[in-house]
Amino acid sequence: MKRKLAMLFVVIMILSCMPVMAGTVPAGADAAAATTKTVTTKAVRNGWFKVGKYYRYYVNGNYYKNGVYKIDNKLFGFSAKGNLCCGWFTINGLTYYGSVKQGAKGIGVGQVLTGYRKIGNDYYYLNPAKKGARSTGFIRVNNKLRYFNASTGKQRRTTGWFYVNGAMYYVLADGTIATSTTIEGIRIGANGAVVDPYGYDKKAQSYSSNTRNLILVDKSRHYVNIYQGSKGSWINIRRNMLCTIGKSSTPTKSGSYKLKIKTTRFGPYGRKDFSSSTAFYAYFYNAGNFFHSVIYRLGTTNPYKATPKDATLGKNKSNACIRLSLENAKYLWDNMKVGTRVIIW
């Protein structure tokens, strides 16, 4: 009996030392206050918000940044910091334009423009397929070919010839590029490029000149081409003028030369008397060598009242000089300045 009472006492002591379980804490005001935490719920941002002086667009608390995004079926650009972009801006190497003011057709401030657009005094192509990224080069708009500068994106609209990407093109009065036609006697292909089967236009670009002109002479084809502009941007202004060059005993030498002296002392036609004939519009370029007209009888003073002694062109027949038709010789004589580079090959 004594042993049973001792065991009961030990059990009672163990139970009295055990912690009270949470579920057994009595209810009451003080207990509730001690066990309850205050929770504040912060509203998640969605939509447009002004942050500082810029606007941002939030979706589930995160804002768009470093890209162009569609919002309510309109495009908007955001910087790397998430700020709405207006005017010209560049993201990831592509250039866009965000409207700087409220415009027609529902265009709002910051909306990225697309399509063929006039911005300021210039026209651009903002490619709809690339979220309005500015595109350059040759682009067909409304079925007409146009050229947009590779560095500025501006459409070239000045009427006339220009050289780019290894070929010549012509801008019409409406700012579009001429295609499948002939202008000033020069044939233009369906892609807008001048048909230049011998590559003269490309060859010209590597040369410089002391004047705004350059002359190329292809002896094998008997062609003279005259260019205007400067190195890398020469425009052919007189194409494939047929010429006669030196015969085998007195060949026309290849090389790089410069126009030196106009023959002017024999009247208004640049007359030049040789040993047995007379030529007009003679322009000296190398020792004993001239550009000049086809030849006339010795002593002729007015080529417009005489018949040529030899009007042959496209042959190897001269005494090293380069003969041209009277019209082409006059053009060269009238328009080319002393110092103009001459390339003969």
Side-chain angles (χ1 to χ4, degrees):
M1 185 66 172
K2 290 182 178 179
R3 186 173 180 179
K4 290 182 178 180
L5 289 173
M7 290 295 293
L8 180 62
F9 176 79
V10 170
V11 171
I12 291 171
M13 289 300 293
I14 291 173
L15 290 174
S16 66
C17 293
M18 291 180 66
V20 178
M21 301 299 292
T24 64
V25 176
D30 292 339
T35 60
T36 303
K37 294 182 179 179
T38 302
V39 178
T40 302
T41 302
K42 186 176 181 180
V44 176
R45 283 184 169 182
N46 280 288
W48 291 101
F49 287 85
K50 189 172 184 181
V51 180
K53 61 179 180 178
Y54 296 102
Y55 281 92
R56 291 178 178 175
Y57 190 83
Y58 288 78
V59 175
N60 295 328
N62 298 310
Y63 52 83
Y64 287 151
K65 60 182 178 180
N66 199 40
V68 174
Y69 301 85
K70 184 173 283 189
I71 301 171
D72 295 332
N73 210 34
K74 297 177 181 179
L75 294 171
F76 295 90
F78 298 88
S79 71
K81 294 182 178 180
N83 300 327
L84 176 66
C85 299
C86 293
W88 290 110
F89 63 94
T90 299
I91 294 177
N92 298 325
L94 299 177
T95 301
Y96 306 83
Y97 186 84
S99 177
V100 296
K101 60 182 179 181
Q102 196 77 16
K105 300 180 180 178
I107 296 173
V109 175
Q111 183 179 340
V112 174
L113 304 186
T114 61
Y116 181 57
R117 296 278 185 169
K118 184 178 183 181
I119 299 174
N121 295 320
D122 299 296
Y123 288 82
Y124 301 85
Y125 187 71
L126 308 173
N127 196 337
K130 296 183 178 180
K131 295 184 177 182
R134 190 176 69 190
S135 295
T136 61
F138 291 94
I139 299 172
R140 286 194 176 273
V141 181
N142 299 327
N143 206 33
K144 289 189 176 182
L145 189 63
R146 304 167 199 263
Y147 177 73
F148 299 86
N149 185 275
S151 58
T152 65
K154 296 178 182 179
Q155 181 186 353
R156 188 182 184 98
R157 296 180 61 85
T158 303
T159 303
W161 297 103
F162 71 102
Y163 182 90
V164 68
N165 298 338
M168 277 178 50
Y169 299 83
Y170 191 87
V171 180
L172 299 169
D174 65 354
T176 62
I177 306 299
T179 59
S180 302
T181 188
T182 298
I183 295 177
E184 298 175 358
I186 299 173
R187 191 157 60 95
I188 298 172
N191 65 348
V194 166
V195 178
D196 179 31
Y198 309 121
Y200 298 144
D201 297 346
K202 186 175 182 178
K203 181 180 180 67
Q205 307 311 316
S206 62
Y207 296 103
S208 59
S209 177
N210 290 340
T211 71
R212 290 283 294 165
N213 292 103
L214 172 72
I215 301 173
L216 300 186
V217 181
D218 180 353
K219 294 190 297 181
S220 66
R221 296 186 177 89
H222 301 91
Y223 282 146
V224 176
N225 282 264
I226 297 178
Y227 290 84
Q228 187 176 72
S230 59
K231 184 176 181 179
S233 59
W234 294 112
I235 300 301
N236 194 316
I237 58 174
R238 205 78 171 183
R239 185 174 293 272
N240 296 350
M241 300 186 297
L242 199 60
C243 70
T244 283
I245 61 172
K247 55 185 179 287
S248 58
S249 59
T250 54
T252 299
K253 294 182 179 180
S254 299
S256 175
Y257 308 96
K258 295 178 183 178
L259 293 180
K260 296 178 180 178
I261 303 171
K262 284 184 180 183
T263 302
T264 59
R265 57 182 179 153
F266 291 111
Y269 309 116
R271 174 184 168 187
K272 172 66 177 174
D273 287 328
F274 294 96
S275 59
S276 61
S277 60
T278 295
F280 296 89
Y281 302 117
Y283 214 139
F284 177 71
Y285 71 87
N286 186 40
N289 300 142
F290 294 79
F291 284 99
H292 61 67
S293 71
V294 294
I295 58 174
Y296 293 76
R297 287 179 174 80
L298 185 64
T300 302
T301 58
N302 186 341
Y304 297 101
K305 293 183 178 181
T307 300
K309 175 183 176 180
D310 185 351
T312 301
L313 292 171
K315 302 292 183 180
N316 293 26
K317 198 174 181 181
S318 76
N319 293 322
C321 290
I322 299 173
R323 300 178 189 174
L324 296 164
S325 69
L326 186 66
E327 176 190 4
N328 288 334
K330 182 179 187 304
Y331 180 88
L332 189 151
W333 192 81
D334 282 342
N335 295 284
M336 300 300 104
K337 294 182 178 180
V338 170
T340 295
R341 175 68 60 86
V342 178
I343 303 297
I344 303 174
W345 74 96

